[in-house]
Amino acid sequence: MIVKAEKDSISHTSGLSGTESENDSVCETASLTTFPESYALKNEEAASLKQNYILHMSVARENSEAKVALSTSNHSCIVYQVGEQIAQLTSLNDHDKAVSNVRISSQNTNLVFSGSLDGTIKLWDLRRSSKCVKTFQDDTRGDDKLKPITSFDINCDNRVLCAGTELVDGDAFLLFWDIRTTNLLGGYWESHTDDVTQICFHPSQTNVLVSGSSDGLINVFDINETNESAALQNCLNTQSCVEKLSWIKSREGEELDISCITSTVDLQLWSLEGASPYLAIDRDTIGKGMSNSSDDCYLVDVHQFSFTQDLMLLGGCTLGNGDNLQSLKLSHDSKIKPMANFVGNKQIVRCSWHNPDTGVLLTAGEASILSVWKPSVTEDLKSTVKPMKKERKRKPTPY
């Protein structure tokens, strides 16, 4: 259903710079409905011929092309140049454990960050034979046991790096570094009680940070404050494990809200000051919109269009060959409708990126394939969901 509501030895970081609607009234079933928009598979590239899969993606736009960094399940990162063709630039291999996230610098696309469960975040310079030029880690304990990095992000002026960790000796940490010096600035460890799953800096405010965790909390911080207690501005309880966080433009103005995908495949939209989500869409409604069983549907990510501010929910079904990939549109009237069926998809998709201006979509997933999708000029493409026979279970996240 859709529910609407009103709208260890390191120091604490100091001064771091409703109403319920029935399913039938909120969604249209995809199986008997014409998909109003069409996407064509323009290009694809296998990142590996082995049984590796792609978990994370970071994209930097470069005029008509893009630089794409992917993390794979064999502890490496692969960087591509994507235009009319897909060209592999390099492979980054220096982590001992699973890579938990990857980021391309917003100020210099030759700089790539990769974080890992081995407790390190490495900065690579593609101009220097893809050499690791800096390593960020918390070695304040004085031993070889580093805190496993589960997620990280960089603030918008590229000066502060923040990483979340697994639960270590009863504490889940948010660690902060100065990117220019690799100095550990400090950390927070009292706001989450389980593994940190997401770190997201505000795209335009250097001091605003949100974190998500397996404890079900989304915490909003002002890292300019002098201690963790003062920095914590709001604590949002999703009542489920937080799996994916992203910033979206508010419908009321220029302020940014938070979209959250939970481990139970629910979508929640929050304002930064909210006590509860102002919009919540449950798994049953999402499954019905895709004409899939709610037990087998999944969400990849939420993307937003520049002009209408409508949201695109990208997801699919794990049954059969895992090739079922669809999108739903969430419009201003809070109704979700079938949007597009991605004919030619060959995998369960784990990560995606969307260009809000051109509509180009990049996807990657469990078959280790990077796919480039472009909106087709053909309108009113009539397609239905392929029948699923053989069941295939989704692989667990390896961290």
Side-chain angles (χ1 to χ4, degrees):
M1 73 186 77
I2 293 183
V3 178
K4 299 185 204 175
E6 295 300 330
K7 226 179 149 174
D8 321 296
S9 56
I10 58 178
S11 61
H12 283 263
T13 303
S14 174
L16 292 174
S17 330
T19 58
E20 185 174 310
S21 303
E22 295 297 327
N23 284 353
D24 290 343
S25 66
V26 297
C27 74
E28 296 179 3
T29 303
S31 59
L32 301 177
T33 305
T34 297
F35 289 96
E37 299 185 30
S38 171
Y39 278 77
L41 179 61
K42 291 300 183 180
N43 211 341
E44 61 182 13
E45 179 75 15
S48 173
L49 298 179
K50 299 180 180 179
Q51 292 185 342
N52 299 316
Y53 48 96
I54 299 168
L55 285 172
H56 305 95
M57 175 188 299
S58 179
V59 179
R61 295 164 62 176
E62 297 178 322
N63 298 320
S64 61
E65 297 190 345
K67 192 165 286 179
V68 181
L70 306 173
S71 69
T72 66
S73 58
N74 65 344
H75 308 172
S76 67
C77 296
I78 304 175
V79 183
Y80 291 94
Q81 193 75 30
V82 177
E84 290 301 319
Q85 303 295 325
I86 302 176
Q88 180 175 330
L89 299 179
T90 189
S91 180
L92 310 174
N93 305 281
D94 197 28
H95 284 294
D96 299 328
K97 296 183 180 179
V99 176
S100 53
N101 210 351
V102 61
R103 286 281 188 271
I104 299 177
S105 170
S106 61
Q107 292 188 349
N108 187 339
T109 61
N110 289 304
L111 301 179
V112 178
F113 295 80
S114 61
S116 169
L117 294 183
D118 63 16
T120 66
I121 299 174
K122 295 182 179 294
L123 172 59
W124 310 82
D125 191 337
L126 304 184
R127 298 163 299 186
R128 300 175 60 180
S129 300
S130 302
K131 180 182 178 181
C132 177
V133 293
K134 290 182 181 180
T135 299
F136 305 86
Q137 61 188 34
D138 174 16
D139 53 7
T140 54
R141 293 175 56 174
D143 54 29
D144 294 331
K145 294 182 179 179
L146 302 178
K147 299 177 178 65
I149 303 298
T150 52
S151 182
F152 74 90
D153 201 9
I154 305 155
N155 74 340
C156 58
D157 66 359
N158 276 258
R159 297 184 65 177
V160 178
L161 169 66
C162 177
T165 76
E166 289 184 347
L167 203 63
V168 178
D169 297 330
D171 294 314
F173 290 79
L174 301 184
L175 304 171
F176 297 87
W177 290 270
D178 184 335
I179 289 180
R180 299 164 297 178
T181 65
T182 73
N183 290 337
L184 182 67
L185 299 173
Y188 303 153
W189 56 85
E190 297 177 348
S191 301
H192 286 296
T193 59
D194 207 340
D195 297 350
V196 177
T197 56
Q198 288 281 280
I199 297 290
C200 290
F201 273 104
H202 193 283
S204 61
Q205 298 180 30
T206 60
N207 60 307
V208 178
L209 171 76
V210 296
S211 61
S213 169
S214 296
D215 62 14
L217 301 181
I218 302 172
N219 287 328
V220 182
F221 295 98
D222 178 355
I223 65 172
N224 279 344
E225 295 292 341
T226 56
N227 58 67
E228 180 175 358
S229 178
L232 183 60
Q233 305 296 296
N234 202 356
C235 182
L236 316 175
N237 189 355
T238 71
Q239 302 183 21
S240 185
C241 174
V242 176
E243 190 165 282
K244 177 84 71 172
L245 294 177
S246 57
W247 294 94
I248 59 171
K249 288 187 178 179
S250 168
R251 298 173 181 178
E252 282 72 30
E254 294 301 318
E255 296 297 322
L256 294 187
D257 293 337
I258 303 169
S259 77
C260 172
I261 297 174
T262 71
S263 60
T264 52
V265 196
D266 298 327
L267 173 67
Q268 300 179 6
L269 304 184
W270 295 79
S271 67
L272 292 181
E273 295 80 23
S276 60
Y278 64 82
L279 186 66
I281 307 175
D282 65 19
R283 185 174 192 160
D284 289 339
T285 303
I286 293 169
K288 182 177 180 181
M290 295 182 181
S291 191
N292 294 324
S293 165
S294 61
D295 293 334
D296 304 305
C297 71
Y298 68 93
L299 280 179
V300 181
D301 211 338
V302 175
H303 303 289
Q304 192 165 37
F305 296 96
S306 293
F307 302 107
T308 64
Q309 306 304 324
D310 289 344
L311 299 181
M312 177 176 71
L313 284 58
L314 184 68
C317 179
T318 59
L319 292 180
N321 298 321
D323 59 355
N324 176 258
L325 181 66
Q326 298 177 38
S327 61
L328 302 173
K329 180 177 287 187
L330 176 60
S331 54
H332 282 250
D333 59 5
S334 300
K335 292 185 178 181
I336 58 173
K337 300 178 181 180
M339 178 181 167
N341 188 25
F342 294 84
V343 178
N345 177 60
K346 301 178 178 65
Q347 62 187 339
I348 294 175
V349 173
R350 287 297 192 99
C351 53
S352 61
W353 174 84
H354 177 251
N355 186 327
D357 300 320
T358 66
V360 170
L361 179 73
L362 305 183
T363 60
E366 294 185 4
S368 196
I369 297 173
L370 172 63
S371 302
V372 180
W373 305 87
K374 293 186 178 180
S376 173
V377 294
T378 304
E379 297 182 353
D380 297 326
L381 174 70
K382 294 184 178 181
S383 177
T384 57
V385 181
K386 295 180 181 179
M388 299 298 174
K389 295 180 180 180
K390 183 179 178 182
E391 181 174 353
R392 178 187 176 190
K393 295 296 183 181
R394 191 181 186 192
K395 298 177 183 178
T397 302
Y399 56 84

